[in-house]
Amino acid sequence: LTEQEAVCNDGSPGAYFLNKGSASSTVWIVHLEGGHWCWDEKSCQNRWRSYNGLMTSKHWADKREFAGIYAGGSGALDGAHVAVVGYCTSDAYLGDRAASSETFGWHFRGSRVVEATLRDLVRHGLGRSSTGSRHTVVFGGCSAGGRGAMSTLDFVSSVLAAEGVDVEVRGVLDAPLWIDMAPYDSSVVSLAEQTRLVYALADSSGRVSETCRAAHPGEEWKCIFGEYRLPHVTTPHILSTAQRDTFQISWNMGHAVVGGPDTWTNDQADYAQRFQSRMRSVLLNSVVSSGSIFFSPNCPVHCISSSPEAHARAVGHHPKASLWLLVKAPIVGAELGA
């Protein structure tokens, strides 16, 4: 990306990987990669030491393999143009703050990277149909990318409209639904506290919708936190979130889940069960916006859209659960595994 402010944490340019589909396709998939984030000086230092590929693009390869539903094959997305946005901003694509002493020397420009990607895709033909057919943008992501997509989805149309492009927008939000539940391990930083800190550190205020802001005055950080943001997402979407989301349970239990349920104590197993019940409650009590569907398998997975194995395990042959479905036939409703 050439836009000056569309940069990674270290100031290197943001980037995306494009696989142009068939010439006749009017479907453009924009997928935001995942990779958690950092929320204070220590967590950002640790991230740089252990995972600096998530903070800089300097060492990225020129090509990237697409997997899961984005790798092509049968279905409504076959032949679509696919853009995968590389994750290097550590802010779930929601920040808009330049490096300073207050950010410990890091840039947090995730929202700029996403907007620059959309504008660049217009130059590659997005929204420009020789036949006059309206294009569809399937905008989504997995994990941190899913959380970023959830808070960005309602802004996509206006970003493209500013470029003179009128498109249909649909969302595929994979594993974005963090729930506000105290960790089992009191020594870990809760997901809610991380979100509150990132909101201030990265300045994510530009991705707060007016309805969410009105619902949480003085606690606007909740508007980038899944449980609280979901009721305010109006663009038709499919949300996929496992009731036993392995990342959240693992984090909240101090990564005890790595050993598997067979290694848990009775108290840990009870916590995982309470997490599952809480996730079901959040979903069952959330308003499903028009044209949208929630899909929640009762199995221990995290992202399913980018993993062929996880997608097959969680979705199987359920006709309502296909992540391709939304493009052609949106369904209103919710489907929760027993």
Side-chain angles (χ1 to χ4, degrees):
L1 297 170
T2 58
E3 293 189 22
Q4 186 175 1
E5 295 176 329
V7 296
C8 303
N9 290 127
D10 69 337
S12 58
Y16 70 95
F17 302 84
L18 177 63
N19 182 21
K20 290 293 291 288
S22 67
S24 60
S25 179
T26 59
V27 176
W28 293 74
I29 301 167
V30 180
H31 177 80
L32 311 183
E33 291 186 324
H36 203 41
W37 58 16
C38 63
W39 55 90
D40 58 14
E41 184 174 18
K42 181 180 178 180
S43 65
C44 290
Q45 287 176 343
N46 290 340
R47 185 177 177 86
W48 179 256
R49 283 195 296 264
S50 302
Y51 308 104
N52 62 24
L54 293 171
M55 301 182 77
T56 180
S57 64
K58 289 181 179 179
H59 309 297
W60 286 357
D62 293 333
K63 295 182 179 180
R64 189 160 297 188
E65 293 293 327
F66 296 167
I69 67 171
Y70 306 111
S74 60
L77 303 188
D78 186 33
H81 313 286
V82 181
V84 174
V85 184
Y87 188 35
C88 62
T89 57
S90 306
D91 57 1
Y93 304 89
L94 300 173
D96 189 13
R97 196 175 186 188
S100 70
S101 59
E102 294 183 345
T103 68
F104 318 112
W106 303 112
H107 297 271
F108 293 95
R109 295 289 202 179
S111 66
R112 298 284 185 140
V113 169
V114 171
E115 292 187 9
T117 296
L118 292 172
R119 285 189 283 267
D120 202 60
L121 288 175
V122 171
R123 290 189 280 274
H124 282 281
L126 170 60
R128 312 295 191 190
S129 175
S130 59
T131 64
S133 300
R134 196 179 188 199
H135 285 196
T136 297
V137 174
V138 181
F139 184 83
C142 156
S143 194
R147 292 185 286 112
M150 175 183 282
S151 293
T152 304
L153 183 58
D154 289 340
F155 294 91
V156 172
S157 290
S158 61
V159 172
L160 292 174
E163 301 301 307
V165 171
D166 176 36
V167 299
E168 289 284 344
V169 179
R170 296 289 185 268
V172 176
L173 312 178
D174 190 6
L177 191 60
W178 279 6
I179 60 174
D180 195 355
M181 183 172 175
Y184 173 86
D185 184 341
S186 60
S187 69
V188 305
V189 181
S190 73
L191 300 178
E193 178 64 7
Q194 289 178 31
T195 304
R196 187 186 68 80
L197 292 170
V198 168
Y199 182 83
L201 175 63
D203 185 7
S204 302
S205 59
R207 288 294 179 253
V208 177
S209 67
E210 291 306 312
T211 59
C212 191
R213 189 185 306 275
H216 301 288
E219 294 183 303
E220 286 82 3
W221 66 266
K222 289 184 174 180
C223 296
I224 63 168
F225 190 89
E227 176 179 345
Y228 304 114
R229 182 55 178 259
L230 180 58
H232 303 281
V233 179
T234 59
T235 303
H237 59 274
I238 181 167
L239 178 141
S240 170
T241 186
Q243 293 169 41
R244 290 185 279 165
D245 181 81
T246 51
F247 173 80
Q248 291 188 71
I249 292 176
S250 174
W251 184 272
N252 287 347
M253 292 173 60
H255 303 288
V257 77
V258 172
D262 291 341
T263 70
W264 294 350
T265 66
N266 288 338
D267 285 346
Q268 289 170 334
D270 179 67
Y271 180 87
Q273 182 59 51
R274 286 188 286 113
F275 178 92
Q276 178 185 358
S277 297
R278 179 86 169 82
M279 177 68 82
R280 287 179 63 89
S281 176
V282 168
L283 287 167
L284 289 170
N285 289 289
S286 292
V287 176
V288 185
S289 60
S290 177
S292 300
I293 181 172
F294 298 167
F295 172 62
S296 183
N298 179 14
C299 56
V301 295
H302 186 47
C303 294
I304 67 173
S305 61
S306 55
S307 167
E309 296 81 9
H311 186 266
R313 179 180 182 186
V315 174
H317 300 287
H318 195 302
K320 288 186 179 180
S322 171
L323 295 187
W324 288 275
L325 184 62
L326 190 66
V327 177
K328 286 192 171 180
I331 289 178
V332 178
E335 186 74 27
L336 272 66

